[in-house]
């Protein structure tokens, strides 16, 4: 049991919320007058382990709006447990593990009235524990399902990462007494001890508080009928259980409630799977996916006098909290029929389901075969909450269903093909459930394969900084392979850096199963039973560039002799660069070297990272004041550009763990001048790559002279490409793991490489290192209908098939796909056979196939996102191409450069397409006044007003191709764009709207124009469609971005009268604001 020691009295915060709190918001709702309650006169004491009614402090100090328990959200590692309590015993609070107290807050919502408080069992006697408990008294009205929505609406802006709802009384379904084969929980404390930790570790979007079978939660549905149970239950998964039908006719009441909330016909709806007791944990983004007004509206419903609605809302918990199903505006909701006293249906026992079926079918105006309830020919539907597995390019309920008749090629991801039985089965390499939670901590570095998928290997790159980190390792060290990697100073040995973390080396040298080593003498460091490999993270950092093309473009023309990198010194400038980074990068020795080069050799150079955000900088030697460029900590791409302009890289550091900047420099064909005492990175110096100099500087001049005289003979780029990079180092790391740890970890069969997280690179695998200031992970998909076109795409874009994931698109000429489109987006049905083959009608089969291809890909990415490293990356994106996209060489760098500048809440980024500017005004100029050649003048004179088009980052029309990005206000074509994984539900919501079926680019354009979609675009066009290149970009060299080609819209009156406008839309280049004269008032 938890400790009985009493903590500070502020731990339990007591609040009273009376019915007056609801009166202003819902005194008159869709159910008419709310039942009045006697006002609660007493208010609780702010105490611990005492009854709040013992004192009569002023209620006004404790009433709403003082209810919110915090002013701002906590960090991600916290769970709020919201307990709805009436008169049940809460002694179980004493049995909650005390170690959870720092990561959990318990909120007791005590629903009692004055008469309740006269009963001893209803008085709020709270056990004394070490837990953080908040006590809130509510009026006893509304069923238990009211309380969660009351809590949400009072904490919408300050929700914790996870909110867990449960009842104070132990719900029998949480136990396994009724299903002994399941893992159940015999008390609320036992359930919380398990599920709070699980929520913290896995950060699920929705976690039912239920027993589990084979790791999957048991869910319930309500039977429409008790007839033919065996037939109803045939094929149901073992995790689906059913409540019997009764005269309350619960399933149809739920359908009626669903009709009201979601605004769709209840006729085809089958029964809804749900979590009994409304007990589950939900992530805050799932709550924020719906507007606060939605939750307020549901709170009003559950607070009304129609208590039966609480049962219906309970059944819709998964639809509300764990789906992207669009809820209608609350002002459109009406009263459920079963809540109207004079109209509600009553059914007798024994319940005759066919009578209920007939009544509701008539009321809802369903066709004979349309009602999803009782039917001799229909069975109950499968749950909407069905745990799924990733099959690689798609998902399924289980591995056995992955192939879908297509054989081994469709069995990937979480599954492997069993050749002995010709079946698809769960892969032994399936990712551990705690993996994505662990790697949110920077200490634990993830490892991916060449497909960007995590494997059950984690690299520990520095000493434990907290007890929590150490506990996480100890808990999972036997289930996940942890290897040490030398990425921090001298770790696992102690660094002499006075600003470094202090630790005991012996605590780490033998702690992990093996090591990626950087030292010259590993045998003297590790005991014989610890395997190691001579490998550093920098080995994977070879840049994927077209060096010859860059040279031809003049990007490697030299303006400086040397370049030197400091760690970001934002906090060290004021102390003249004395701190952790200055020691690690050996700033004092760097200044000695620069003084010699500036004073004696008259060299010029660049020093990166010694200027803070205020423009202050570290002091250079006086001899370098006019010869060395001081640069603020630039972004990754800018720093590479500076490196391209330099002749060699200076590396004076000693206690630096194999700096990745060394490999990046060699990738750009820069030789290295390196301190011979450096602990990591020494292996890169040879006759092809550069020279050493002694730490005492005794041979610095000689080494420098040798380096400069041999600049034309070094070949660092050739050396590093021959010996390092993700493919070569990745194969070596996989071989090392297979050789030494085959009994510890099973690796995916379809992969050949193991790759630590990398700096931003074309491979799309990202890094969180100090050398790369911005961390972006990308995964690229190509949508098409023929694999041969995918291969053409890869070849035309100078890629490799492993770099892109091919997605087989939907065939819009299949009537089923066309019907799916209509069902998803709304609008009238159509017959595909009435269209000419390959006709590109914007409302026909071609548009249907395109729309559904993109939609199903995005829906799939949303479903499997938690299995991917992108879901937990600090910044990441899914890249979507159509197979006719043709992009500039190095498109990745251009796109990622824009992404680094985007605000966090971006939804979609276009780097190909057509922006449209619309003019909405016409001053009635008479025909003949204007000519075709005067159109530009007429636009500038303001004849058509100021067009709405792409916007600058500040929201103005002052756009420039030097902007980091533009805001897209109306853009068409979908051959090249990126989606933010953390905002993917916004994109799905747009595509699932019922405005009527239309081309996908039109749907996106309208959404960004209305503000529903936070859409952005690169300041120049990166990708074009192959079929349009000869018409619109005939001179494109494929190397450089192009100015955007715009599509200009004019009012119909202008089209009729102005001779320069031949149709409603006109093509041309989007003009930048700077290209207009000051007299031009009608910019576009």
């Amino acid at each position: 049991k938890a400790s009985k020691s009493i903590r500070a009295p502020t731990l339990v915060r007591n609040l009273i919320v009376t019915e007056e709190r609801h009166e202003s918001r819902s005194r008159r709702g869709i159910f008419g007058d709310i039942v009045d309650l006697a006002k609660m006169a007493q208010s609780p004491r702010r105490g611990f382990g005492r009854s709040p009614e013992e004192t009569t402090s002023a209620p006004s100090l404790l009433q709403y709006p003082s209810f919110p328990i915090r002013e701002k959200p906590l960090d991600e590692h916290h769970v709020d447990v919201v307990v709805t309590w009436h008169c049940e015993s809460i002694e179980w609070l004493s049995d909650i593990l005390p170690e959870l107290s720092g990561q959990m807050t318990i909120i007791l919502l005590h629903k009692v009235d004055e008469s309740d408080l006269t009963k001893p069992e209803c008085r709020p006697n709270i056990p004394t524990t070490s837990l953080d408990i908040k006590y809130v008294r509510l009026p006893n009205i509304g069923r238990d399902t009211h309380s969660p929505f009351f809590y949400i609406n009072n904490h919408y802006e300050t929700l914790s990462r996870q909110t867990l709802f449960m009842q104070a009384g132990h719900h029998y379904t949480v136990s396994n007494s009724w299903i002994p084969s399941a893992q159940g929980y015999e008390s609320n404390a036992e359930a919380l001890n398990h599920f709070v930790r699980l929520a913290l570790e896995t950060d699920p979007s929705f976690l039912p508080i239920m027993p589990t079978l084979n790791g999957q939660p048991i869910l319930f549905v309500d039977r429409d009928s008790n007839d033919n149970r065996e037939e109803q239950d045939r094929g149901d998964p073992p995790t689906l259980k059913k409540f019997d039908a009764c005269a309350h006719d619960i399933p149809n009441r739920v359908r009626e409630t669903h009709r009201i909330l979601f605004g769709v016909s209840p006729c085809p709806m089958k029964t809804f799977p749900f979590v009994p007791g409304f007990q589950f944990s939900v992530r805050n983004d799932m709550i924020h996916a719906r507007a606060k007004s939605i939750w307020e509206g549901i709170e009003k419903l559950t607070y009304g006098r129609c208590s039966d609605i609480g049962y219906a809302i309970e059944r819709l918990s998964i639809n509300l909290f764990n789906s992207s199903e669009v809820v209608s505006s609350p002002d459109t909701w009406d009263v459920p029929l079963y809540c109207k006293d004079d109209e509600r249906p009553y059914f007798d026992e024994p319940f005759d389901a066919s009578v209920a079926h007939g009544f509701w079918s008539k009321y809802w105006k369903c066709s004979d075969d349309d009602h999803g309830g009782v039917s001799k020919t229909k069975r109950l539907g499968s749950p909407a909450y069905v745990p799924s597995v990733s099959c690689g390019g798609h998902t399924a309920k289980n591995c056995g269903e992955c192939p879908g008749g297509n054989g081994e090629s469709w069995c990937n991801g979480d599954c492997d093909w069993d050749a002995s039985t010709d079946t698809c089965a769960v892969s032994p390499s399936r990712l551990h459930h705690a993996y994505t939670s662990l790697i949110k901590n920077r200490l634990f570095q993830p490892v991916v394969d060449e497909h960007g998928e995590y494997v059950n290997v984690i690299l520990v790159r520095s000493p434990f900084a907290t007890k929590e980190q150490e506990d996480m390792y100890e808990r999972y060290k036997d289930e996940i392979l942890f290897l040490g990697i030398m990425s921090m100073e001298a770790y696992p040995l102690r660094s002499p850096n006075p600003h470094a973390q202090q630790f005991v080396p012996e605590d780490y040298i033998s702690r992990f199963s093996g090591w990626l080593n950087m030292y010259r003498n590993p045998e003297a460091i590790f005991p014989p039973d610890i395997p190691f490999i001579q490998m550093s993270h920098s080995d994977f950092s070879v840049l994927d560039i077209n060096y010859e093309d860059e040279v031809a473009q003049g990007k490697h023309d030299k303006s400086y002799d040397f370049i030197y990198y400091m760690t970001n010194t934002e906090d060290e400038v004021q102390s003249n660069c004395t701190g952790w980074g200055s020691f690690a990068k050996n700033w004092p020795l760097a200044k000695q070297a620069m003084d010699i080069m500036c004073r004696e050799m008259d060299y010029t150079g660049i020093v990166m990272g010694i200027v803070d955000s205020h423009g202050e900088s570290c002091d250079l030697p006086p001899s370098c004041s006019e010869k060395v460029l001081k640069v603020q900590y630039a972004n990754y791409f800018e720093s590479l550009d500076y490196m391209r302009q330099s002749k060699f890289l200076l590396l004076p550091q000693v206690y630096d763990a194999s700096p990745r900047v060394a490999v990046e420099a060699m990738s750009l064909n820069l030789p290295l001048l390196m301190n011979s005492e450096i602990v990591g990175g020494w292996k890169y110096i040879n006759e092809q790559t550069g020279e050493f100099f002694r730490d005492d500087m005794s041979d610095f001049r000689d080494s420098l002279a040798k380096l400069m005289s041999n600049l034309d003979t070094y070949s660092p780029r050739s050396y590093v490409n021959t010996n390092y990079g993700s493919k070569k180092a990745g194969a070596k790391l996989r071989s090392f793991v297979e050789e030494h740890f085959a009994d510890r970890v099973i690796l995916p069969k379809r992969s050949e490489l193991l790759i630590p997280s990398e700096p931003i690179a074309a491979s799309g695998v990202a890094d969180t290192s100090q050398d790369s200031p911005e961390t972006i992970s990308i995964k690229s998909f190509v949508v098409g209908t023929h694999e041969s076109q995918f291969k053409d795409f890869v070849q035309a874009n100078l890629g490799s098939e492993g770099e892109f994931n091919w997605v087989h698109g939907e065939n819009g000429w299949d009537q089923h796909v066309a019907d799916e489109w209509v069902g998803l987006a709304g609008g009238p049905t159509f017959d595909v056979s009435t269209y000419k083959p390959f006709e590109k009608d914007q409302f026909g089969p071609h548009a249907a196939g395109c729309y559904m291809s993109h939609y199903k890909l995005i829906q799939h990415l949303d479903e499997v996102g938690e299995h991917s490293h992108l879901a937990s990356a600090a910044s990441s994106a899914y890249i979507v191409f159509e197979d006719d996209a043709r992009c500039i060489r190095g498109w990745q760098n251009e796109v990622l450069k824009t992404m680094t500048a985007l605000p966090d809440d971006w939804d979609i980024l276009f780097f190909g397409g057509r922006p449209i500017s619309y003019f909405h005004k016409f001053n009635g100029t008479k025909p003949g006044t204007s000519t075709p050649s005067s159109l530009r003048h007429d636009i500038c004179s303001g004849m058509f007003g100021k067009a709405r088009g792409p916007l600058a980052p500040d929201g103005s029309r002052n756009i420039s191709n030097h902007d980091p990005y533009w805001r897209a206000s109306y853009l068409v074509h979908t051959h090249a764009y990126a989606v933010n994984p953390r905002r993917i539900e916004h994109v799905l919501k747009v595509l699932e709207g019922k405005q009527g079926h239309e081309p996908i680019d039109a749907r996106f354009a309208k959404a960004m124009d209305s503000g529903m979609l936070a859409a952005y675009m690169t300041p120049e066009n990166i990708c074009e469609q192959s079929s349009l290149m000869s018409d619109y970009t005939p001179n494109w060299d494929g190397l450089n971005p192009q100015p955007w080609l715009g599509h200009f819209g004019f009012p119909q009156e202008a089209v009729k009268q102005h001779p320069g406008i031949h149709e409603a839309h006109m093509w041309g280049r989007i003009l930048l604001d700077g290209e207009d004269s000051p007299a031009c008032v009608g910019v576009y």
Side-chain angles (χ1 to χ4, degrees), residues 493-741:
L493 303 184
R494 189 182 292 113
S495 168
N497 190 334
H499 310 281
Q501 177 185 347
Q502 298 302 307
F503 61 93
V504 178
E506 289 74 21
D507 289 346
Y508 296 93
I509 290 173
S510 301
R511 189 164 203 162
F512 308 121
S513 301
W515 277 89
L516 278 64
N517 169 71
M518 68 178 176
Y519 282 102
R520 292 175 170 90
N521 57 339
E523 297 84 359
I525 299 174
F526 300 110
D529 61 335
I530 300 294
F532 57 83
I533 181 174
Q534 195 69 37
M535 179 172 286
S536 297
H537 192 176
S538 52
D539 294 355
F540 296 81
S541 302
V542 177
L543 301 177
D544 184 6
I545 62 169
N546 192 316
Y547 178 73
E548 289 72 22
D549 282 351
E550 289 190 357
V551 170
Q553 295 172 47
K555 291 186 176 181
H556 290 262
D557 293 349
K558 304 303 182 183
S559 301
Y560 304 93
D561 292 299
F562 65 87
I563 186 169
Y564 161 76
Y565 281 79
M566 264 283 283
T567 297
N568 189 357
T569 53
E570 181 68 27
D571 299 326
E572 299 181 16
V573 169
Q574 297 304 317
S575 60
N576 197 23
C577 284
T578 55
W580 180 89
S582 305
F583 189 98
K585 302 302 178 183
N586 208 345
W587 174 239
L589 195 66
K591 288 196 294 183
Q592 290 183 48
M594 285 190 284
D595 182 49
I596 292 172
M597 291 188 290
C598 294
R599 179 167 44 82
E600 299 181 19
M601 283 77 174
D602 198 29
Y603 286 171
T604 61
I606 305 172
V607 179
M608 303 293 297
I610 64 166
V611 182
D612 67 15
S613 57
H614 304 291
E616 301 293 327
S617 68
C618 303
D619 292 336
L620 292 174
S623 60
C624 295
S625 60
E626 303 296 327
K627 299 175 183 177
V628 171
L629 176 66
K630 296 187 291 186
V631 180
Q632 194 173 357
Y633 200 52
N635 72 42
Y636 181 71
F637 303 100
E638 290 175 335
S639 70
L640 293 181
D641 286 338
Y642 282 116
M643 196 182 292
R644 288 180 174 97
Q645 300 173 54
S646 305
K647 296 178 182 177
F648 70 91
L649 173 68
L650 174 66
L651 292 163
Q653 49 261 55
V654 174
Y655 296 98
D656 199 356
S658 194
R660 269 160 277 181
V661 68
V663 175
E664 292 165 352
M666 290 189 290
S667 300
L668 297 174
N669 214 32
L670 268 69
L672 312 177
L673 185 59
M674 179 184 286
N675 191 323
S676 61
E677 298 300 315
I678 193 168
V679 294
W682 49 269
K683 65 183 180 182
Y684 297 132
I685 296 297
N686 55 57
E687 61 184 11
Q688 288 182 261
T689 60
E691 304 295 333
F692 281 125
F693 66 91
R694 295 193 184 107
D695 190 51
D696 62 7
M697 297 290 285
S698 60
D699 64 346
F700 180 78
R701 292 172 178 82
D702 293 338
S703 297
L704 176 62
K706 183 178 179 181
L707 181 86
M708 295 301 285
S709 63
N710 291 318
L711 283 179
D712 295 335
T713 63
Y714 294 118
S715 53
R717 175 171 171 78
S718 174
Y719 169 78
V720 78
N721 280 327
T722 300
N723 295 281
Y724 298 101
S726 292
K727 288 185 178 180
K728 293 180 176 61
K732 291 178 181 178
L733 180 56
R734 179 171 178 123
S735 296
F736 172 71
V737 171
E738 288 178 326
E739 178 184 353
H740 296 283
F741 309 107

Side-chain angles (χ1 to χ4, degrees), residues 331-351:
D331 58 17
T332 67
W333 298 351
D334 57 0
V335 180
L337 184 69
Y338 61 84
C339 287
K340 298 179 179 179
D341 291 338
D342 53 345
E343 298 181 52
R344 64 188 299 174
Y346 291 91
F347 304 104
D348 298 326
E349 293 284 8
F351 177 61

